[in-house]
Amino acid sequence: MMFNRPSLRDRSKKSAHLAEIVRSSTDAIISKSLEGKIISWNAAAERIFGYSATEMIGQSIRRLIPLELQGEEDEILERLRAGEIITKFETVRLHRDGRLVPIALTVSPIRGPDGAIVGASKIAHDLSGEQAVRTEHRDRDVRFRMLADNMDQLAWIGNSAGALYWYNQRWYDYTGTDFDTMQGWGWQKVQHPDHVDRVNTLWAKALAKGEGWEDTFPLRAADGSYRWFLSRAHPIRDDTGTITHWFGTNTDITDRREYEERIRLLLGECNHRAKNMLTMIQAVVHRTATSDPDLVERLSQRIGALGANQDLLIQREWVGAPIRDLITSHLAFAEDVLGHRVTLDGPPLDLLPRAAETIGLAIHELTTNACKYGALSTDKGAVAIAWSVEGDRKGKDAAFHLEWIESGGPPVEPPKRSGFGTMLIKRNPARALKAQVDCEYSADGFRWSLDSPLSSVSTIGQTNLDE
């Protein structure tokens, strides 16, 4: 059998093709003898190391190797003589200007016609750009770790399905757990058994809706104790709006809860003592003013109204009271007619503590008068109580309007003298709330109205003024 050998022309074309590959490569391609003498040096080698082919051909490859790394060349030559190919060996070499160039080396033995190893080819890939990217990624990771591991909250990240795969160091320090134990749904192991089902249900609902999640529950510490945490998570979306991750935090609120509980206890104690004082005052009134039972009854009712105001404010932790709840509480002794003969109409509005006290006393006084002399003293009379906010609630000129309108009762006449009742429904609100208060004693029934700046009455007005 005979084989056709490539012609001289074919071999020439092949050699030219290989030479062009070497010349145009972006990696340095260098050949050397087994003694380390450079035989060939392509354009990329010149660009990467700064030496021309003229300067390097015939020179030792050790010229590029830092003094402390000369042992690398000895090991490479030894492995080459054994016929080994060295791949992706990362190291550094010297540039002509003295700086270090990070490279990835691939070194292969070159064999002669008889198969003996006569030299080596080296491909050096410049890692400068990649190393800059690695450094940037490493720096970002360090910065992220510094932030994540030194924040006060326990933090975690989950995949789109809600399975957690990363926790910050605070989590591990607090729970005493490890990475493997906490993967996926491992966090359930540190949930309090009385809360875990509820937490799972709410978390599943948030995942299904793709909405932010918030919950409060205890988590077990490394020592077996439990502390309360306010926990929140937010979905992270890509450019298409698809949820890719969930990021969550757990904030320890145990001390805050205990503090708030102490405040509630103190407020309750203050309320209890204040009401005891009011009870003592009522007892003194009963014992002192026995000759005027009507005075005793009305004064006792007014003291009771103060107590009702205080109860409502304590329930709201002294930050204000809803106007509808306030009015209803002072209509308690007329609750049998509430809803049909006494109507309430107005938007939800939280009153400031001072406004709640002032308006509450006025409403109590108006209710007492209506039951004794006005519309509620008959079976057919009615009272309409309405309130509104006029103007933009966010504006400084927003106004509050409250009115009490009686109808169907006996004819009314202006009082012949101004007593304590007049002070409660007129002078006191005017002074305390910077209000315009009007009383109209018409044949149709008594009418009372109050107009005040919203900022004097409502928590909304206060907030907007601060802004």
Side-chain angles (χ1 to χ4, degrees), residues 287-299:
R287 293 178 61 184
T288 305
T290 55
S291 61
D292 192 344
D294 184 62
L295 172 63
V296 171
E297 181 183 357
R298 300 198 67 182
L299 190 53

Side-chain angles (χ1 to χ4, degrees), residues 209-465:
K209 293 181 179 180
E211 297 176 350
W213 169 77
E214 181 175 312
D215 201 355
T216 302
F217 47 78
L219 291 174
R220 189 181 68 237
D223 62 4
S225 64
Y226 285 89
R227 293 183 68 83
W228 282 88
F229 287 83
L230 171 62
S231 302
R232 294 188 176 102
H234 298 279
I236 308 301
R237 302 177 186 272
D238 61 18
D239 294 339
T240 66
T242 302
I243 294 175
T244 59
H245 300 85
W246 288 83
F247 177 75
T249 58
N250 308 96
T251 304
D252 190 337
I253 58 169
T254 305
D255 293 340
R256 191 183 79 184
R257 282 171 62 93
E258 292 175 353
Y259 172 78
E260 290 174 350
E261 181 61 25
R262 288 197 298 270
I263 293 297
R264 279 193 292 270
L265 289 173
L266 288 173
L267 285 174
E269 177 65 17
C270 289
N271 184 42
H272 176 70
R273 295 192 179 198
K275 292 182 73 174
N276 283 346
M277 184 64 69
L278 292 175
T279 301
M280 291 176 60
I281 293 172
Q282 285 179 317
V284 171
V285 169
H286 278 279
R287 293 178 61 184
T288 305
T290 55
S291 61
D292 192 344
D294 184 62
L295 172 63
V296 171
E297 181 183 357
R298 300 198 67 182
L299 190 53
S300 295
Q301 289 178 351
R302 288 162 182 167
I303 292 172
L306 285 171
N309 272 349
Q310 185 163 292
D311 281 341
L312 190 58
L313 289 171
I314 288 293
Q315 292 170 12
R316 298 277 295 184
E317 298 184 355
W318 211 259
V319 294
I323 187 171
R324 183 177 291 271
D325 292 351
L326 177 75
I327 294 174
T328 301
S329 71
H330 287 286
L331 290 167
F333 60 89
E335 62 181 357
D336 58 317
V337 295
L338 189 62
H340 52 99
R341 291 178 58 198
V342 178
T343 59
L344 279 64
D345 182 40
L349 190 69
D350 282 350
L351 300 178
L352 293 165
R354 187 176 185 184
E357 180 181 341
T358 302
I359 292 175
L361 287 173
I363 293 295
H364 178 85
E365 189 67 22
L366 291 169
T367 304
T368 302
N369 290 339
C371 288
K372 285 196 170 188
Y373 315 113
L376 299 183
S377 65
T378 69
D379 294 335
K380 297 181 180 179
V383 177
I385 307 170
W387 62 92
S388 61
V389 174
E390 300 171 356
D392 182 3
R393 287 193 178 204
K394 296 183 179 180
K396 293 183 179 181
D397 296 329
F400 170 75
H401 176 74
L402 173 64
E403 60 184 14
W404 171 290
I405 301 176
E406 299 183 21
S407 60
V412 294
E413 295 181 359
K416 294 179 180 177
R417 62 184 181 86
S418 296
F420 188 66
T422 303
M423 185 188 75
L424 289 178
I425 66 172
K426 193 166 186 179
R427 293 198 299 270
N428 190 43
R431 182 176 62 253
L433 306 179
K434 302 177 183 178
Q436 173 66 40
V437 182
D438 294 314
C439 296
E440 182 181 342
Y441 300 86
S442 67
D444 297 333
F446 174 71
R447 293 170 178 259
W448 174 88
S449 64
L450 178 149
D451 291 278
S452 170
L454 183 62
S455 59
S456 297
V457 173
S458 173
T459 54
I460 297 175
Q462 284 281 312
T463 301
N464 293 330
L465 281 178

